[in-house]
Amino acid sequence: MGTWRRLLLFGRVSLRGGCGAAAPSLGRRALSCGRQLLGAEGEALKQRRTQIMSRGLPKQKPIEGVREVIVVASGKGGVGKSTTAVNLALALAANDSSKAVGLLDVDVYGPSIPKMMNLKGNPELSPNNLMRPLLNYGIACMSMGFLVEETAPLVWRGLMVMSAVEKLLRQVDWGQLDYLVVDMPPGTGDVQLSVSQNIPISGAVIVSTPQDIALTDARKGAEMFRKVHVPVLGLVQNMSVFQCPKCEHKTHIFGADGARKLAQTLDLDVLAAAAAVCVHSSGVIQRLLETWNNECVLFQARAYLHIASEVVRRLQPPPE
């Protein structure tokens, strides 16, 4: 029996036995002492649990040749995460043509980058047996979609998925990149944890639509990155407005300020409110990507250029 338990027990006995005016005082002192000891034991137990859980975790190792890694994530699918990742990569290159930018798709079950970047084919191998990314619009791209048939489903268990993610992280010859944008799968599962634990991430961008159900999952995504000590650079409110191409009237089809309210709750900033962009075919996204200065798509492009500027501004300088 611990000391504080004996004190509490004796204090209670004294109270019941009526041992004068000192008994209640002894009980209160014993209770206070017990709470202090419980707090100390709880903190020690918490530290011990943290040490145990940290055992066996992989040590973070930078991707060779890559200076900054920016992940684009969402709690829910279908909110335009891949669209944001593609346009963020292109906007980073458009804002500063001297920067080399890459795009990595780790959404193993549903890779979207090959279609959006209008790329097909298998990557070549370098002399040291590393995969070489495919190149389009000046962006180096790698995706599981380059390694399997376009219509073939990946019926894989978790271990095979993690092995594929490891290969995408470690067996690609990126050359020298200033920024690598990583298109994450939706949710907060194995892939997100594996990427966060294996490589140092400069920051995460969370994408959501203004709808309540999407915002709920976006909050979970932001909290997950905070738990694994990845800086959350801000939120992107996608599909926030539709602008008629004929009359230029703007309509908030899914709501206007949902992400801004969530950002206030999480003490984050909204990087931009992106317009609804149709990307169901490579032809549409190709026209968008090739016409940054076209007035017809300027209202769409401007949002992504602003997001890229804000992301760069929020990145912490790499260690010397």
Side-chain angles (χ1 to χ4, degrees), residues 271-275 298-308:
L271 301 179
L298 186 59
F299 77 98
Q300 297 170 335
R302 187 183 294 115
Y304 293 113
L305 292 169
H306 178 71
I307 292 170

Side-chain angles (χ1 to χ4, degrees), residues 135-277:
L135 188 69
N136 202 9
Y137 310 117
I139 306 297
C141 302
M142 180 52 64
S143 169
M144 181 57 65
F146 299 144
L147 308 177
V148 297
E149 293 293 331
E150 183 177 358
T151 58
L154 290 183
V155 189
W156 288 357
R157 294 186 182 274
L159 289 177
M160 296 181 67
V161 173
M162 302 316 296
S163 177
V165 171
E166 178 68 17
K167 286 180 172 59
L168 290 173
L169 292 175
R170 300 299 179 192
Q171 297 185 17
V172 178
D173 182 7
W174 292 104
Q176 296 296 319
L177 292 180
D178 294 286
Y179 304 111
L180 177 63
V181 178
V182 181
D183 181 19
M184 302 280 271
T188 56
D190 288 345
V191 174
Q192 288 83 354
L193 285 174
S194 179
V195 172
S196 302
Q197 292 170 353
N198 275 279
I199 61 174
I201 298 175
S202 302
V205 175
I206 308 298
V207 183
S208 179
T209 60
Q211 298 157 302
D212 290 343
I213 191 67
L215 292 168
T216 299
D217 290 337
R219 178 170 186 166
K220 295 176 183 177
E223 295 290 1
M224 185 216 72
F225 281 113
R226 284 178 167 175
K227 285 188 176 182
V228 294
H229 309 295
V230 172
V232 180
L233 304 178
L235 303 179
V236 172
Q237 180 170 273
N238 197 31
M239 305 182 194
S240 62
V241 63
F242 170 76
Q243 180 168 325
C244 177
K246 293 184 178 180
C247 67
E248 298 186 359
H249 175 72
K250 294 182 180 180
T251 303
H252 296 279
I253 52 180
F254 296 125
D257 295 319
R260 299 188 187 281
K261 295 176 182 177
L262 176 61
Q264 291 176 357
T265 303
L266 297 174
D267 194 24
L268 295 172
D269 294 326
V270 175
L271 301 179
V277 181

